C-alpha cells in the first residue's frame, strides 16, 4: 500500500515540501519519546558546557570545545542545549529534561527504536515513491523545541550544511512526536524555493585551523509574506527538499514540540562534499536506507 499518492509526489516536486498526517501511530511516537527521556535521564553533560568563564580566552576555548563537539558528532549520540540553561558554574538552572535543544546525530545507528523507525517499511515506501534508488542515511536528530525557551530556527536550506554535487539529492524526513502548531513552532516554507539553488555554504576549515567551520557566500533576504505554515498533528510527517527555504518560530507556548528528524541522500551518481561538517567515518559509513 503506497503512503504517497501520485498527487502527493507532484505536490512535493512543485512545492519542495509535503505535510502528511497520520504517518506514525500514537504508540510509535510515544516509544520514541520514552526512549529519548531515558537517554536524557542518563546523559553526561559535556565538559565544555561545565566550564566557568572569566576571560575572552576561556570563552574562545568554550566556543572551540562546542565546535569540536559538534563537528565530531556525526557518528555519536550527543547533547546540544538551549541558551541560558546553565549558571556560571555550569549547573542547570532549569530541569535537565527542559534544557536540551536536540540530541544528534547518529540515533538512527545506535538506538534500536530510532533505527527501526528510520528503516521502517513506511519510510522506505515513501522514499521509493519519490524515486530514490540508493538512499543512505546521513544523520538523525531528536529536537525538543522546549516550551517558552525553544529558540527560533532562522530561514535556511539544508543543502547549505549538507552539500552535494549535483544539488537536490538530500531529503529531510521530519516526524512530529507531538502536535506541531502555529503556537509551539511548526515549520514554515517558501513553496517552490527549492528551484533557485543555494547562495551560502557551511564548510569545514582545513585541519588545525580555527574556527572549525566557516561560511562561504551569504543567505538571501527572504520576504516574510512568502512563507506558508505546515502544522501537523502528533504522528504527522513533513518531507523537506534539501534546497527548500524553511524556518520555525520560537516556541512561546507552554507545550513542547518534540520531533524526530533525519536526512537521506540519493547516493547514486552523487558526490558528497568532503568540505561538509558531517563526514562518514570508519565506525559509521552512511548506512543504506533499504536494509
Amino acid at each position: 500500500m503506497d503512503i504517497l499518492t501520485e498527487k502527493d509526489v507532484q505536490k512535493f516536486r512543485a512545492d519542495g515540501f509535503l505535510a502528511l498526517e497520520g504517518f506514525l501511530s500514537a504508540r510509535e511516537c510515544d516509544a520514541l519519546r520514552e526512549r529519548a527521556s531515558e537517554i536524557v535521564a542518563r546523559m553526561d553533560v559535556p565538559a565544555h558546557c561545565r566550564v566557568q568563564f572569566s576571560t575572552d580566552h576561556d570563552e574562545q576555548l568554550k566556543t572551540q570545545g562546542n565546535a569540536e563537539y559538534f563537528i565530531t558528532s556525526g557518528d555519536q549520540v550527543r547533547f546540544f542545549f538551549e541558551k541560558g540553561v546553565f549558571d556560571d558554574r555550569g549547573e542547570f538552572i532549569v530541569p535537565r529534561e527542559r534544557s536540551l535543544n536536540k540530541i544528534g546525530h547518529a540515533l538512527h545507528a545506535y538506538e534500536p527504536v530510532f533505527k527501526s523507525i528510520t528503516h521502517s517499511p513506511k519510510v522506505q515506501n515513501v522514499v521509493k515513491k519519490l524515486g530514490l534508488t540508493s538512499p543512505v542515511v546521513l544523520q538523525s536528530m531528536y529536537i525538543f523545541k522546549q516550551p517558552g525557551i525553544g529558540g527560533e530556527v532562522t530561514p535556511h536550506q539544508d543543502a547549505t550544511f549538507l552539500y552535494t554535487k549535483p544539488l537536490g539529492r538530500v531529503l529531510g524526513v521530519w516526524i512530529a512526536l507531538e502536535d506541531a502548531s502555529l503556537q509551539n513552532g511548526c515549520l514554515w516554507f517558501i513553496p517552490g524555493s527549492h528551484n533557485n539553488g543555494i547562495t551560502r555554504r557551511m564548510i569545514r576549515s582545513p585541519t588545525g585551523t580555527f574556527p572549525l567551520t566557516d561560511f562561504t557566500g551569504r543567505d538571501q533576504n527572504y520576504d516574510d509574506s512568502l512563507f506558508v505554515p505546515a502544522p501537523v498533528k502528533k504522528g504527522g510527517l513533513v518531507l523537506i527538499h534539501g534546497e527548500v527555504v524553511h524556518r520555525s518560530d520560537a516556541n512561546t507556548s507552554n507545550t513542547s514540540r518534540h520531533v524526530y528528524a533525519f536526512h537521506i541522500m540519493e547516493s547514486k551518481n552523487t558526490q558528497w562534499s568532503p568540505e561538509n561538517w558531517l563526514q562518514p567515518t570508519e565506525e559509521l559509513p552512511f548506512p543504506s536506507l533499504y536494509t
Side-chain angles (χ1 to χ4, degrees), residues 99-238:
S99 68
L100 284 153
N101 174 289
K102 68 177 181 180
I103 304 172
H105 287 94
L107 290 162
H108 63 280
Y110 300 129
E111 286 293 333
V113 188
F114 290 92
K115 188 176 193 171
S116 70
I117 291 292
T118 308
H119 294 272
S120 63
K122 278 192 270 208
V123 169
Q124 293 188 13
N125 182 303
V126 163
V127 173
K128 280 190 174 124
K129 191 79 183 169
L130 291 175
L132 280 71
T133 57
S134 308
V136 295
V137 186
L138 301 174
Q139 64 162 355
S140 52
M141 298 174 282
Y142 190 101
I143 305 165
F144 292 86
K145 203 72 159 179
Q146 304 285 2
I149 63 167
E152 75 166 323
V153 178
T154 54
H156 68 283
Q157 296 161 287
D158 293 342
T160 288
F161 307 94
L162 308 170
Y163 184 81
T164 57
K165 282 186 185 169
L167 274 175
R169 296 305 177 95
V170 171
L171 172 71
V173 179
W174 192 98
I175 303 168
L177 306 181
E178 301 178 289
D179 293 355
S181 67
L182 295 174
Q183 289 71 39
N184 72 1
C186 71
L187 294 172
W188 292 69
F189 293 90
I190 299 181
S193 57
H194 61 305
N195 295 315
N196 305 329
I198 64 169
T199 55
R200 183 174 180 244
R201 278 182 63 190
M202 180 192 201
I203 56 172
R204 266 180 182 255
S205 305
T207 310
T209 57
F210 188 78
L212 302 177
T213 58
D214 211 347
F215 284 94
T216 58
R218 51 181 39 202
D219 269 333
Q220 300 168 44
N221 288 326
Y222 300 107
D223 178 351
D224 209 45
S225 68
L226 298 177
F227 283 91
V228 299
V232 284
K233 296 276 185 211
K234 176 178 178 174
L237 166 74
V238 185

Side-chain angles (χ1 to χ4, degrees), residues 12 36 44 62 67 69 75-76 86 126 161 181 211 228 251 282:
F12 175 75
D44 287 323
K62 176 179 189 177
Y69 187 76
D75 60 355
Q76 307 287 322
F86 297 107
V126 163
F161 307 94
S181 67
V228 299
N251 183 359
E282 266 179 52

Side-chain angles (χ1 to χ4, degrees), residues 82 98 145-151 183-184 250-257:
E82 287 293 352
R98 287 284 183 97
K145 203 72 159 179
Q146 304 285 2
I149 63 167
Q183 289 71 39
N184 72 1
N251 183 359
T252 54
S253 79
N254 57 8
T255 58
S256 54
R257 189 220 66 187

